[in-house]
Amino acid sequence: MDIVEKRIPDQKVAYVPHIDSFSKLPEFIEEVGQLISENKLEAVGFPYGSYDNDLEEYAENRQIFEVGMPIKDFYADGKPAGRIGKLGLKELTEHTVLSGKHKGSHKNFNETVKKIVKYAVENQYDIVGPITEIYLPANENTPVEEIETEVQLPVIYMGPKRD
């Protein structure tokens, strides 16, 4: 797996927080998409899941995460909205991530995360935010072992000055 440093631009996102099982992720992604549509917001990117907790530390049905999607804008009566019912709305500032692609089922997902964390530590990055999974589009008939998920780990480079 190739791990690359990349900049994520400022973005607005619509999300729903959960304490539940990752096995329900497809229905949570669908829910966010429906809420975005019902509230006449415009999705401008792929769905994501973001979590702070260690997947091995929490019971499978007690994972703490949010599921969301980048959106074009969010305004209510000409002012930025913070929440529309169950749907949270927030702005993320530009930031740096280490990014890698996980291929296949989520059964061995922690191995991908561990590789990225190890890379961060070995290359003098401080981890400054939650792991985020970007769910890349795949055809309906794509075998599970071929599905790709981008894994992003927010970091700050703390090593020697670079040009």
Side-chain angles (χ1 to χ4, degrees), residues 22 51-60 62-65 109-111 113-114 117 130-131:
F22 281 129
Y51 53 92
D52 275 319
N53 54 289
D54 183 331
L55 299 179
E56 295 171 352
E57 214 173 283
Y58 286 77
E60 201 278 328
R62 300 288 300 159
Q63 297 295 313
I64 303 166
F65 58 102
F109 192 76
N110 258 2
E111 295 306 312
V113 172
K114 287 176 184 177
V117 169
I131 293 166

Side-chain angles (χ1 to χ4, degrees), residues 141-155:
N141 300 326
T142 302
V144 170
E145 57 274 359
E146 295 296 318
I147 293 176
E148 289 187 326
T149 304
E150 181 180 352
V151 180
Q152 296 179 349
L153 183 64
V155 294

